[in-house]
Amino acid sequence: MPFIPSAHLVARKPRFRATQFAVFTIILSVIFLSASLATAQKVELSLDASKSGAKISRNLFGQFAEHLGHGIYDGIWVGPDSTIPNTRGIRNDVVAALRAIKVPDVRWPGGCFADEYHWRNGIGPQRAVTLNPNWGGVIEPNTFGTHEFMDFINQIGAEAYVSINVGSGTRHEAADWLEYMTTAQPTTLQKERAANGHSAPYKVAFLGIGNESWDCGGNMTPDYYLDQLKAYSHFVRNYNPTQQTNDQMLKIAVGPGGSGPRWTEWTDTIMKAYQNHTWSWDIDGLSMHNYTVVKWPPSFKSVGFGETEYAQILKDTLGMDSLIKEQSAIMDKYDPQKKVALVIDEWGAWYAPLPGSNPGFLVQQNSMRDAILAALNLNIFARHADRVRMANIAQMINVLQAMIITDKEKMVLTPTYYVFKMYLPFQDAAFVPVTFDAGTYQHDGITLPRVDAIAAKAADGKLWLEVTNLDPNQSAEIEVNLSGASAKSASGETLTAAKVDSVNSFDAPNTVVPKPVSTRAQGGKLTLKLEPKSVTVLSLEQ
Ligand code: AHR
């Protein structure tokens, strides 16, 4: 992570009009999928419904929420006395939006913030007012602490991924925090938790042992971190009675932050030790952070850019695949049974701060380009689902590649949000291999695959297909060859926009929203026509 300067800081339509519009949209969409294929580039796509691979864990759709800018304060927390509708201080509009995308887990409180967070500041009636030196040097009121976080994830139906402070905290402090959160026994810490309003133990599903310990988390060498990891893994225990045999807390070690010798050495050190680990320490995951940034400091605009920047960013984001392969090869060497998950717990686009915003708050817009970027990454994760079993996009609200942007009482859902919504059928579905010749899209000396696709079988047996058309100028004609089943029709949603940098704003929140699409097989063939720069998710009806 680069140095971040710490400083400054629809009108409702009558119902009949809406219905007419919906019917019109459906008719248009059917036409879009089945007719006038003459100008589209053709791609043959084959999938065998009788074959299935690894489960695409729902945790690949996890979120990251750090005490950073307006990610927590204003984004989630407005306080019980706010005029913004809330439940115990947590925004109702944000909760409803996040419930709708079935957020599986939320990583909190950081990020770099986690390695300077002292949990006692965030409990009880009197909260310490501290500073947030990583992110603008602003005041941290600590009004959102452990209980508020647990209330929030409970409201949205997610699980807790808590990152403990290895950088500036102690083992004792972290062990106490876990006892405070999880014990059911009448200890002093349990009584304190009960006095603070929660006598029952909380569930901590995932534990992050430090964050970027090679950088903002303490600038540690791999060997030094390994020693810390062993001790924290042993002493920081989860006492929740329901998590002792089933549903055990998964411990996630700090892993690499890029490609090349520095990062392969890091992973090698941790995984080699893991191979010979004793009863007294263990890990279930190794984290990896990888932002789409092209170069540091982040200088690409998040809005008001053209096709060249579109292509450059997408090229950069596709590097996620080789990074995963590089790391997986090391992990395979020491852990061929793939017991340790590769956890991509920070990923997404990191652009230049929006003009006029506090640069320490990492405020950026979210465009159609980000929707394509999200789909490409989710597809990469799905293809590596046997090793990559968790991922957390950075970050959930108002920071970096956000799902949601708020401004006081206003809220808007981003194109990335809609991709996560469209991908819901892939949560916990079984990966089905798809083969296709992607072809190429070329612009300004940059060559990219023209299309990308994944398929999966859901628990109810339904077959789902996602196809991304990266080409911003040409539609793509997809001929689906299905073996092991027959498809009579397909229906779902597509997301596209007028421009690569189209965004949803408070004034125009429906600029980039999914619209329904469907098609029927003709002569035994299912053909889809995808709009330029689009993400499409369809169920194949047999
Ligand atoms: O997401 C912003 C920051 O990026 C996180 O705090 C840190 O872990 C990473 O460098």
Side-chain angles (χ1 to χ4, degrees):
M1 195 205 64
F3 172 70
I4 304 290
S6 76
H8 24 241
L9 252 196
V10 179
R12 181 174 294 183
K13 294 207 169 70
R15 188 182 293 171
F16 79 96
R17 291 276 306 278
T19 313
Q20 282 178 337
F21 178 73
V23 170
F24 181 63
T25 308
I26 292 167
I27 292 168
L28 267 188
S29 304
V30 173
I31 292 169
F32 135 80
L33 276 175
S34 56
S36 174
L37 302 177
T39 57
Q41 302 282 335
K42 196 165 175 182
V43 177
E44 275 191 35
L45 191 146
S46 303
L47 59 145
D48 185 346
S50 65
K51 294 207 174 99
S52 63
K55 182 167 91 171
I56 301 170
S57 169
R58 68 181 193 283
N59 290 314
L60 291 178
F61 303 86
Q63 304 281 328
F64 172 36
E66 180 169 14
H67 287 239
L68 193 176
H70 295 294
I72 301 287
Y73 299 108
D74 299 339
I76 297 172
W77 180 258
V78 287
D81 300 330
S82 172
T83 53
I84 298 171
N86 68 84
T87 302
R88 296 179 293 280
I90 294 162
R91 295 179 73 122
N92 293 345
D93 52 356
V94 163
V95 167
L98 294 173
R99 282 191 78 83
I101 55 169
K102 293 191 175 25
V103 174
D105 63 86
V106 181
R107 179 173 182 253
W108 173 86
C112 297
F113 181 84
D115 277 302
E116 300 193 41
Y117 183 62
H118 300 285
W119 66 274
R120 282 206 156 275
N121 292 335
I123 58 160
Q126 298 298 325
R127 304 288 170 98
V129 175
T130 57
L131 292 171
N132 189 339
N134 281 293
W135 305 118
V138 295
I139 291 283
E140 166 56 56
N142 285 299
T143 41
F144 190 90
T146 303
H147 290 258
E148 291 76 19
F149 170 66
M150 292 295 184
D151 189 9
F152 167 63
I153 57 163
N154 189 39
Q155 287 190 37
I156 66 169
E159 292 199 297
Y161 176 3
V162 174
S163 282
I164 52 171
N165 181 344
V166 172
S168 69
T170 63
R171 294 157 197 175
H172 188 175
E173 182 188 18
D176 276 358
W177 193 13
L178 264 286
E179 184 189 321
Y180 179 84
M181 288 190 281
T182 63
T183 189
Q185 308 255 47
T187 66
T188 303
L189 285 168
Q190 186 278 335
K191 287 180 184 161
E192 190 178 3
R193 188 186 70 222
N196 287 333
H198 208 273
S199 61
Y202 287 119
K203 179 179 177 190
V204 179
F206 308 98
L207 186 79
I209 303 179
N211 170 75
E212 297 192 354
S213 303
W214 31 261
D215 189 36
C216 69
N219 275 297
M220 300 173 192
T221 63
D223 286 328
Y224 184 79
Y225 173 72
L226 178 62
D227 287 344
Q228 302 295 316
L229 172 66
K230 289 177 180 173
Y232 274 80
S233 160
H234 178 67
F235 293 118
V236 183
R237 301 171 199 263
N238 185 316
Y239 298 98
N240 188 320
T242 65
Q243 293 189 263
Q244 297 313 302
T245 40
N246 301 325
D247 232 3
Q248 285 183 351
M249 179 176 78
L250 303 182
K251 297 178 181 177
I252 298 161
V254 169
S259 74
R262 180 182 175 200
W263 304 114
T264 49
E265 186 200 339
W266 185 281
T267 301
D268 202 80
T269 304
I270 308 294
M271 291 306 297
K272 192 174 184 174
Y274 167 81
Q275 188 183 36
N276 302 309
H277 79 95
T278 60
W279 68 270
S280 62
W281 76 278
D282 199 1
I283 55 169
D284 306 283
L286 182 75
S287 122
M288 179 171 94
H289 291 180
N290 180 44
Y291 285 97
T292 300
V293 61
V294 181
K295 58 183 172 139
W296 296 102
S299 54
F300 276 61
K301 288 191 204 165
S302 56
V303 69
F305 57 85
E307 190 173 340
T308 299
E309 293 78 16
Y310 170 83
Q312 284 173 320
I313 285 291
L314 294 188
K315 185 174 172 56
D316 191 75
T317 217
L318 287 168
M320 179 68 90
D321 189 55
S322 52
L323 212 51
I324 291 174
K325 283 182 180 142
E326 184 178 60
Q327 293 300 324
S328 297
I330 304 167
M331 296 177 82
D332 286 350
K333 193 163 99 186
Y334 299 113
D335 172 32
Q337 291 177 301
K338 300 186 195 292
K339 287 186 180 158
V340 179
L342 185 59
V343 173
I344 325 279
D345 55 12
E346 286 188 31
W347 69 274
W350 191 327
Y351 303 125
L354 277 185
S357 68
N358 182 336
F361 283 11
L362 312 187
V363 179
Q364 62 190 45
Q365 252 300 355
N366 194 297
S367 70
M368 187 61 218
R369 178 178 64 185
D370 296 301
I372 303 269
L373 183 156
L376 294 176
N377 279 281
L378 293 172
N379 291 359
I380 292 169
F381 301 156
R383 282 192 276 267
H384 293 285
D386 56 347
R387 180 66 83 180
V388 180
R389 299 195 285 272
M390 187 170 182
N392 301 74
I393 190 166
Q395 299 193 8
M396 190 159 62
I397 305 165
N398 292 332
V399 177
L400 300 176
Q401 189 174 347
M403 303 289 116
I404 295 173
I405 297 175
T406 67
D407 182 13
K408 299 187 182 69
E409 76 291 351
K410 291 183 271 188
M411 179 189 87
V412 69
L413 305 175
T414 66
T416 301
Y417 173 92
Y418 288 112
V419 170
F420 273 64
K421 192 154 190 226
M422 290 165 70
Y423 271 69
L424 279 174
F426 290 95
Q427 288 199 11
D428 283 343
F431 183 80
V432 173
V434 188
T435 53
F436 53 95
D437 177 0
T440 55
Y441 150 61
Q442 292 181 319
H443 178 78
D444 215 359
I446 300 166
T447 302
L448 297 171
R450 192 148 40 79
V451 295
D452 189 38
I454 58 161
K457 198 183 276 181
D460 63 3
K462 247 189 180 175
L463 204 53
W464 290 88
L465 175 67
E466 188 285 332
V467 195
T468 303
N469 182 7
L470 285 76
D471 193 323
N473 306 310
Q474 303 219 48
S475 47
E477 182 190 325
I478 310 289
E479 192 180 294
V480 183
N481 301 314
L482 187 61
S483 46
S486 66
K488 295 197 180 80
S489 62
S491 61
E493 288 186 319
T494 193
L495 186 72
T496 186
K499 297 185 294 167
V500 285
D501 70 337
S502 295
V503 301
N504 291 333
S505 65
F506 297 120
D507 296 332
N510 297 324
T511 307
V512 193
V513 290
K515 57 185 182 183
V517 286
S518 62
T519 186
R520 301 199 71 77
Q522 279 171 359
K525 275 189 183 167
L526 203 56
T527 307
L528 323 168
K529 187 178 171 196
L530 307 173
E531 291 193 50
K533 52 175 158 17
S534 61
V535 176
T536 304
V537 174
L538 300 152
S539 75
L540 304 180
E541 313 292 345
Q542 299 173 24

